[in-house]
Amino acid sequence: MKGLITAAGLGKRSMASKYYRKELFSVYDFRDGSVVIRPILDAVIYRMKYVGVNEIYIVLDQEDCVTKKFIEDSYPELQIIIQKERRGYGYAVYLAREYIDSPFVLNAGDGMIIDPDLEKDILKRYRSGNFLVSFRVDDPTKYGVVRMEGDAVVGVVEKPEVPPSNMALAAFYILDPSVFNFINIETTDSELTPAIDATIREGVKTDLYEIAKDQWISVGQALKYVDVVNSTYRFAVDRMSAVR
């Protein structure tokens, strides 16, 4: 299975600089028996490789020379896709259509599932179609939200005024490649969620994997970054204690 990481946003809510993007913000991680500090993008890549996804594409903004240099030096085997226009998250995903023609793992470069073993379990449980990861939230209007009928996923909607559930989407997916056909690239603010919804309406089998809210972290908001650092520190130290 191939992997796709999107890391082409400006990160306005994270107060990141255009020259030092949020994907390079540091977090704690546990590697080879030690607690380490790495850019969150590095941690996302590590997790993909940990679960067996080794052919990885990463979408970068054409002005992001710092992240590009980091990837070229640290992970020369990754294939970089340059985004020349800023037209939304969906558009960044769409740029990988020429390289991916089978189900693929998609992870935003500014967020991750803390526990790589949990990510491995998600990959093991995947069978076909789409596999979405979600967690319960108090205010679903700020997220992509899952629409359910009983235990079945029947749709997803982006930041709904009247949410159909409290199940928010994590920016980690396994997607059927048909999703590329439904991404609207005629807008300047393309979203991925409507394209996923369209695949569901077209009959693509879609399953859901629920995680605890604190298992998903994102550096997308400046005032919550300290919470992310603390969460990853606790995970790394607990994991180190468990193996000793």
Side-chain angles (χ1 to χ4, degrees), residues 133-140 143-146 148 150-151 165-170 208-216:
V133 177
S134 70
F135 49 86
R136 297 178 188 271
V137 295
D138 295 329
D139 184 7
Y143 299 85
V145 179
V146 181
M148 307 286 295
D151 294 331
S165 75
N166 66 342
M167 300 298 293
L169 290 170
L208 191 68
Y209 188 106
E210 183 178 348
I211 63 174
K213 188 174 186 297
D214 61 4
Q215 279 289 337
W216 174 259

Side-chain angles (χ1 to χ4, degrees), residues 48-65:
M48 278 201 179
K49 289 179 172 291
Y50 181 81
V51 302
V53 177
N54 292 306
E55 185 175 342
I56 302 173
Y57 297 82
I58 181 166
V59 182
L60 300 178
D61 182 78
Q62 63 179 348
E63 296 183 359
D64 188 1
C65 299

Side-chain angles (χ1 to χ4, degrees), residues 228-244:
V228 172
V229 173
N230 288 335
S231 294
T232 57
Y233 174 77
R234 288 194 298 271
F235 166 77
V237 171
D238 289 348
R239 183 57 60 91
M240 181 175 65
S241 299
V243 299
R244 289 187 173 177

Side-chain angles (χ1 to χ4, degrees), residues 108-125:
D110 63 347
M112 68 179 188
I113 296 170
I114 291 183
D115 188 346
D117 288 327
L118 184 57
E119 195 164 308
K120 180 176 285 188
D121 188 58
I122 293 170
L123 269 288
K124 284 182 178 178
R125 292 174 183 268

